[in-house]
Amino acid sequence: MNVDIIIAGAGPNGLMLACELSLAGVRPLVLERLPERTEENRANGLVGQVVRMLDRRGLHRRLSGQPEPPRPAPSFVFGALPLDLGALEDNPLYGLHVPQRRIEQVLEERAVELGVEIRRGHELTGLTQDDVGVHADVSGPDGPYRLRARYLVGADGGRSRTRKLAGIDFPGVTRDDTVSRTAHAVVPAALVDPATGGLDVPGHGPVPPFRHHRTERGMFVYAPFPSRPPLVSTTEWPTAGDGAEAFDAPITLDELRLSVRRVLGADLPLAPPDGPGPHMLRRLVGGNTRLADRFRAGRVLLLGDAAHVHSAMGGPGLNLGLQDAVNLGWKLAAEVHGWAPPGLLDTYESERRPAAERVIMQTQAQSALVAPGAEVTALRELFAELLADRDATRRVAELMAGADIRYDNGGTHPLTGRWASDLTLDAGRGPVRLATLTENARPLLLDLTRDASLAGEASGWQDRVDAIPARVPEAASAVHDRAPVTALLLRPDCYVAWASDAPNPDADERKALHAALEQWFGAPTNR
């Protein structure tokens, strides 16, 4: 073997996987066909549970530039309908306004710190596999060559070469009934509302910032990101003679201005931004909703957009793909190290496919809610009434965040299979956040029992699992996610493998803990 794992694709998902593998002591090699990091900004931030997951790896402060932990968003939108999240206890929806270029830069810097080799200008051109490894044919600046690895992961986007070479189908639908136009553009300062940061367009009225603004003729977005030129975007469902520009010609700012006039029914002057770029000016016709028929073919696996593509409405792509990477990384590492229990790697698909299906469901629902037509307007009125209910708002927020996922880990405690939310603990050195204890990406047994006797139960797994006796400071709540807890066994992706609420766990509780340790982290070394 030349390397343990080959990763095809150095976008955010591939780089995140490389970091996770390196933290687990595995050698990944990243191949990227582009000679340098792209200047195209495909996303303007992160939305969902991934914001907290990056905090669990110490990456949030690098991305935000602030030492404070992430804070939930006070509001958001679903299908261009407002979500009032400020009234929710334990608001699950987090956001971080960081352009994708910066996300890739930070992840690449972290990967290099961890010793990852990234080969830019090297493209996967072929692969064959057997029972113990994969041969990868690569085209590089100095010509073709071949590599041998235990596994190969395709993180190479919606047009994945890896997926095609592995013979994995990509069923779904392609639509061509929408046209989206987006540009960095400057609007007259007199039209900017200083109180909200949104626009007051003569002939139309107020337009809130950072929200999908639907009219009967289309959708409009005005996003004044700090330290960057504002983004102006439209989406239309054109008919013959209605905005039917020659789509084979490059888009112009005037084309976007005319689209804004059709959508808002009023003129909005637009000017090109000053200063260095790159400045976005893009047109997209139609879109794809597709899900790979399998995420694994032997020793080849798919990650992120290579496994699923969908509408970008609500910004779910990086939330889904980066969490794919965190789910897959420790399981692949376990296979390489030889302690993976049977079937562990198969849980990557059994856990992440349902997550992808839910993203596809909710993005399709949002697309339906912003379409033109009187019947859609009626549906929106009904949804607006439903979203006035706090429980309905919470359910939609959890869906968009990916916080409603519960893996089938077995066990009876209500936290088992769920993602572990933040805890403040005292592990003998004063208060510490759970996020600080998970930066090394190792499994973690938190013993919060009165006599701290449970930590010793993991002694047979001490090469794989960190056991930490701790207590919940009196100033903090002893209830986690609205459920009492005295012990937590966390997987490296911060999902709960086992939990207990017994003050002094009995023999049956300890037996259940041993079973969970074996289920997820293999046989003990002292067996």
Side-chain angles (χ1 to χ4, degrees), residues 151-170:
Y151 292 92
L152 188 150
V153 180
D156 44 353
R159 296 184 175 90
S160 172
R161 173 71 64 85
T162 306
R163 185 184 64 239
K164 296 170 183 175
L165 291 171
I168 298 176
D169 290 336
F170 204 36

Side-chain angles (χ1 to χ4, degrees), residues 12 15 37-46 54 59-66 96-110 228 318:
L15 292 170
R37 210 166 43 240
T38 179
E39 290 297 315
E40 182 181 358
N41 200 38
R42 297 170 183 166
N44 294 294
L46 297 166
L54 291 171
L59 294 170
H60 179 268
R61 58 181 175 265
R62 297 193 186 198
L63 289 165
S64 67
Q66 303 295 327
L96 183 62
H97 285 169
V98 180
Q100 182 166 328
R101 293 195 308 273
R102 175 61 179 161
I103 296 169
E104 290 187 10
Q105 179 186 359
V106 167
L107 290 175
E108 181 173 336
E109 290 171 353
R110 179 57 173 153
R228 285 181 278 162
L318 287 176

Side-chain angles (χ1 to χ4, degrees), residues 4-5 7 13-28 57 151 153 301-303 321-337 339-340 344-345 347-348 351-352 441 443 491-493:
D4 294 322
I5 311 289
I7 302 171
N13 299 323
L15 292 170
M16 188 72 192
L17 177 62
C19 292
E20 292 292 296
L21 289 168
S22 296
L23 286 169
V26 169
R27 296 177 301 147
R57 296 295 188 258
Y151 292 92
V153 180
L301 298 103
L302 302 179
L303 174 69
L322 291 172
Q323 290 194 81
D324 285 352
V326 176
N327 184 288
L328 177 59
W330 69 276
K331 296 172 181 177
L332 266 181
E335 293 286 346
V336 171
H337 289 312
W339 57 257
L344 178 66
L345 193 53
T347 65
Y348 167 61
E351 291 181 345
R352 296 310 295 167
R491 307 183 333 180
D493 57 2

Side-chain angles (χ1 to χ4, degrees), residues 231-465:
L231 269 179
V232 176
S233 178
T234 63
T235 301
E236 295 183 85
W237 286 255
T239 58
D242 179 17
E245 289 88 0
F247 293 148
D248 55 347
I251 183 175
T252 64
L253 203 59
D254 191 56
E255 178 184 328
L256 175 60
R257 183 184 60 79
L258 292 173
S259 178
V260 173
R261 178 194 291 175
R262 290 191 296 270
V263 172
L264 297 183
D267 279 315
L268 177 64
L270 300 176
D274 297 325
H279 296 137
M280 181 178 292
L281 186 58
R282 183 178 68 190
R283 179 203 305 121
L284 296 175
V285 179
N288 288 295
T289 299
R290 297 185 177 275
L291 181 64
D293 66 355
R294 50 192 169 135
F295 287 10
R296 177 186 180 188
R299 291 180 170 266
V300 179
L301 298 103
L302 302 179
L303 174 69
D305 288 356
H308 37 67
V309 294
H310 44 75
S311 167
M313 187 166 293
L318 287 176
N319 186 31
L320 181 62
L322 291 172
Q323 290 194 81
D324 285 352
V326 176
N327 184 288
L328 177 59
W330 69 276
K331 296 172 181 177
L332 266 181
E335 293 286 346
V336 171
H337 289 312
W339 57 257
L344 178 66
L345 193 53
D346 291 331
T347 65
Y348 167 61
E349 178 168 353
S350 66
E351 291 181 345
R352 296 310 295 167
R353 173 177 285 274
E357 289 170 343
R358 291 189 67 75
V359 167
I360 287 172
M361 177 266 287
Q362 58 105 337
T363 53
Q364 287 180 320
Q366 290 191 73
S367 296
L369 282 169
V370 300
E375 67 280 8
V376 175
T377 301
L379 182 63
R380 291 175 58 81
E381 292 174 356
L382 173 60
F383 258 76
E385 291 183 12
L386 294 174
L387 290 176
D389 180 82
R390 186 179 300 179
D391 289 340
T393 296
R394 170 180 290 281
R395 186 162 182 173
V396 171
E398 289 178 344
L399 172 66
M400 297 188 74
D404 60 341
I405 294 294
R406 183 176 186 181
Y407 296 146
D408 184 13
N409 289 359
T412 58
H413 193 280
L415 295 183
T416 305
R418 295 196 179 277
W419 197 77
S421 294
D422 293 330
L423 273 176
T424 299
L425 304 165
D426 187 343
R429 300 182 300 275
V432 62
R433 294 176 57 233
L434 176 60
T436 303
L437 303 177
T438 60
E439 289 186 8
N440 62 5
R442 281 174 60 85
L444 181 63
L445 174 61
L446 289 176
D447 183 357
L448 309 177
T449 57
R450 292 171 182 170
D451 60 0
S453 64
L454 204 59
E457 299 293 332
S459 61
W461 292 266
Q462 62 185 354
D463 60 324
R464 284 157 268 167
V465 180

Side-chain angles (χ1 to χ4, degrees), residues 2-288:
N2 300 107
V3 292
D4 294 322
I5 311 289
I6 295 172
I7 302 171
N13 299 323
L15 292 170
M16 188 72 192
L17 177 62
C19 292
E20 292 292 296
L21 289 168
S22 296
L23 286 169
V26 169
R27 296 177 301 147
L29 171 64
V30 181
L31 304 175
E32 171 54 56
R33 66 178 182 82
L34 296 177
E36 56 187 23
R37 210 166 43 240
T38 179
E39 290 297 315
E40 182 181 358
N41 200 38
R42 297 170 183 166
N44 294 294
L46 297 166
V47 177
Q49 197 157 280
V50 69
V51 177
R52 292 192 285 176
M53 188 65 241
L54 291 171
D55 182 45
R56 296 284 170 89
R57 296 295 188 258
L59 294 170
H60 179 268
R61 58 181 175 265
R62 297 193 186 198
L63 289 165
S64 67
Q66 303 295 327
E68 292 81 14
R71 295 285 182 264
S75 62
F76 206 66
V77 289
F78 179 83
L81 292 167
L83 290 175
D84 181 8
L85 305 175
L88 297 181
E89 295 180 5
D90 302 324
N91 176 4
L93 193 59
Y94 288 66
L96 183 62
H97 285 169
V98 180
Q100 182 166 328
R101 293 195 308 273
R102 175 61 179 161
I103 296 169
E104 290 187 10
Q105 179 186 359
V106 167
L107 290 175
E108 181 173 336
E109 290 171 353
R110 179 57 173 153
V112 172
E113 288 173 8
L114 293 169
V116 176
E117 181 183 358
I118 302 171
R119 297 183 184 177
R120 293 195 174 274
H122 294 248
E123 182 177 8
L124 178 71
T125 58
L127 66 86
T128 57
Q129 59 175 310
D130 51 41
D131 292 340
V132 295
V134 181
H135 280 111
D137 296 316
V138 183
S139 175
D142 297 325
Y145 61 97
R146 172 169 278 202
L147 292 170
R148 176 77 166 162
R150 298 179 187 275
Y151 292 92
L152 188 150
V153 180
D156 44 353
R159 296 184 175 90
S160 172
R161 173 71 64 85
T162 306
R163 185 184 64 239
K164 296 170 183 175
L165 291 171
I168 298 176
D169 290 336
F170 204 36
V173 295
T174 296
R175 69 179 198 283
D176 59 1
D177 59 339
T178 61
V179 181
S180 298
R181 301 172 178 88
T182 304
H184 286 113
V186 177
V187 302
L191 303 185
V192 179
D193 184 343
T196 66
L199 300 177
D200 191 356
V201 181
H204 176 79
V207 175
F210 300 109
R211 291 188 177 181
H212 297 106
H213 182 69
R214 179 202 180 253
T215 73
E216 289 291 348
R217 297 168 295 276
M219 191 166 61
F220 174 81
V221 178
Y222 175 70
F225 291 104
S227 304
R228 285 181 278 162
L231 269 179
V232 176
S233 178
T234 63
T235 301
E236 295 183 85
W237 286 255
T239 58
D242 179 17
E245 289 88 0
F247 293 148
D248 55 347
I251 183 175
T252 64
L253 203 59
D254 191 56
E255 178 184 328
L256 175 60
R257 183 184 60 79
L258 292 173
S259 178
V260 173
R261 178 194 291 175
R262 290 191 296 270
V263 172
L264 297 183
D267 279 315
L268 177 64
L270 300 176
D274 297 325
H279 296 137
M280 181 178 292
L281 186 58
R282 183 178 68 190
R283 179 203 305 121
L284 296 175
V285 179
N288 288 295

